């Protein structure tokens, strides 16, 4: 898979893309990445990419000219047409389901905004517009790294253990179960005995219950999209009752 980004500060990508899991996956050829400087497609001596908004208001907006030229030029660099992604608070909320869908793309192009945003006409170039959360960042570069990181982890060969991506939070719609490592006793806190039992069936059952309980406590909104057995529903209701919500009526 090929990832590309158009940005006014393309140098911010290097240290993250070349480190850790992404760096190893890139060296193995699992994916490649290229960042382009938007100012390459400006035509004045100041390499201007922004201007004041019509109608007045605070801040500056990114002009449509350089963005249109850049997207068209970068898009033509390879035979495969890129899936072009812009970022905006108005965009679709990025989640694991979107990451899985994007992992099947062959080429993804991120267009990163800055300043107070960009001319609305620029969004006509997007195949989709995403938001990574209800907060404001100074630019789309961090958002594009979040999306790229989540997608790369799903690509074959990116992780050392191919089952890792299937055994993490949101992979089955729930938060991941609690995990422990050595030592078995630390600061007066122990590890659940079942995890030391060697009984894989009991361990799997405990992990499922832990996942349900953690989701019910921290992200109950996720439960509406998960099919639960009657006994699992009771586990969830027991947690909700303990937290001051309705108890199990099954």
């Amino acid at each position: 898979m090929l990832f590309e980004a158009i940005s006014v500060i393309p140098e911010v990508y290097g240290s993250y893309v070349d480190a850790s899991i992404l760096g190893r996956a890139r060296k193995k050829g699992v994916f490649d990445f290229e960042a382009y400087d938007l100012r390459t497609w400006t035509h004045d001596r100041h390499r201007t990419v922004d201007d004041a908004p019509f109608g007045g208001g605070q801040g500056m907006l990114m002009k449509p000219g350089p963005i249109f030229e850049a997207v068209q030029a970068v898009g033509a660099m390879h035979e495969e047409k890129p899936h072009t992604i812009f970022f905006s608070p108005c965009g679709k909320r990025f989640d694991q389901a979107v990451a899985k869908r994007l992992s099947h793309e062959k080429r993804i192009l991120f267009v990163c905004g800055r300043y107070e945003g960009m001319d609305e006409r620029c969004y006509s170039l997007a195949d989709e517009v995403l938001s990574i959360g209800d907060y404001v960042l100074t630019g789309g570069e961090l958002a594009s790294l979040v999306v790229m990181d989540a997608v790369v982890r799903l690509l074959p060969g990116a992780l050392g253990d191919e089952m890792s991506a299937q055994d993490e939070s949101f992979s089955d719609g729930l938060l991941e179960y609690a995990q422990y490592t050595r030592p078995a006793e630390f600061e007066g806190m122990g590890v659940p005995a079942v995890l030391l039992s060697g009984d894989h069936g009991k361990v799997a059952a405990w992990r499922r219950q832990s996942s349900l309980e953690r989701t019910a406590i921290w992200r109950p909104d996720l439960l509406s999209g998960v099919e639960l057995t009657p006994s699992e529903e009771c586990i969830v209701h027991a947690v909700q009752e303990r937290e001051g919500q309705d108890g199990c009526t099954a």
Side-chain angles (χ1 to χ4, degrees):
M1 174 182 280
L2 172 61
F3 292 94
E4 295 164 292
I6 296 172
S7 166
V8 294
I9 47 170
E11 64 273 13
V12 302
Y13 287 97
S15 60
Y16 192 85
V17 173
D18 290 331
S20 189
I21 290 174
L22 265 67
R24 292 193 294 270
R26 189 181 185 188
K27 287 181 180 179
K28 289 165 59 178
V30 173
F31 79 99
D32 200 2
F33 174 77
E34 187 68 44
Y36 304 95
D37 188 344
L38 177 63
R39 298 186 193 278
T40 300
W41 290 277
T42 57
H43 303 286
D44 66 298
R45 65 189 184 92
H46 297 296
R47 306 179 77 198
T48 307
V49 297
D50 61 326
D51 206 339
F54 284 124
Q58 298 297 316
M60 303 288 279
L61 286 178
M62 297 183 76
K63 301 196 298 182
I67 291 176
F68 269 74
E69 285 192 38
V71 170
Q72 292 163 0
V74 172
M77 289 180 181
H78 300 277
E79 184 176 348
E80 183 76 31
K81 181 181 181 296
H83 183 77
T84 303
I85 296 174
F86 282 61
F87 295 97
S88 167
C90 303
K92 177 181 179 180
R93 185 72 171 264
F94 178 71
D95 59 19
Q96 192 68 10
V98 176
K100 288 181 181 179
R101 171 171 57 79
L102 292 177
S103 71
H104 298 292
E105 297 287 345
K106 294 182 179 179
R107 184 184 178 198
I108 293 177
L109 171 61
F110 300 114
V111 181
C112 302
R114 280 262 150 182
Y115 315 114
E116 289 299 311
M118 60 180 66
D119 186 294
E120 188 68 20
R121 292 166 290 189
C122 296
Y123 293 106
S124 66
L125 298 167
D127 290 306
E128 67 180 311
V129 182
L130 296 177
S131 168
I132 64 168
D134 298 336
Y135 45 84
V136 178
L137 298 173
T138 56
E141 290 79 14
L142 282 175
S144 66
L145 281 169
V146 167
V147 174
M148 181 162 47
D149 188 292
V151 172
V152 168
R153 295 178 64 85
L154 299 174
L155 300 180
L159 301 179
D161 180 355
E162 291 306 310
M163 294 301 293
S164 292
Q166 301 177 36
D167 199 29
E168 295 181 326
S169 291
F170 311 113
S171 60
D172 61 356
L174 301 173
L175 297 182
E176 192 174 13
Y177 48 80
Q179 298 193 75
Y180 302 84
T181 187
R182 295 180 178 85
E185 292 285 338
F186 184 76
E187 297 287 340
M189 296 177 285
V191 174
V194 65
L195 298 181
L196 307 176
S197 68
D199 188 322
H200 298 296
K202 290 182 178 179
V203 169
W206 181 91
R207 285 177 169 171
R208 178 66 176 181
Q209 180 171 336
S210 174
S211 182
L212 287 165
E213 291 175 345
R214 287 156 67 89
T215 304
I217 293 171
W218 293 328
R219 289 294 305 276
D221 57 296
L222 296 175
L223 294 169
S224 61
V226 180
E227 186 174 345
L228 303 178
T229 66
S231 62
E232 289 177 339
E233 288 180 357
C234 275
I235 291 172
V236 169
H237 286 310
V239 171
Q240 292 173 336
E241 185 177 45
R242 191 172 71 236
E243 296 295 311
Q245 302 174 27
D246 293 334
C248 178
T249 57

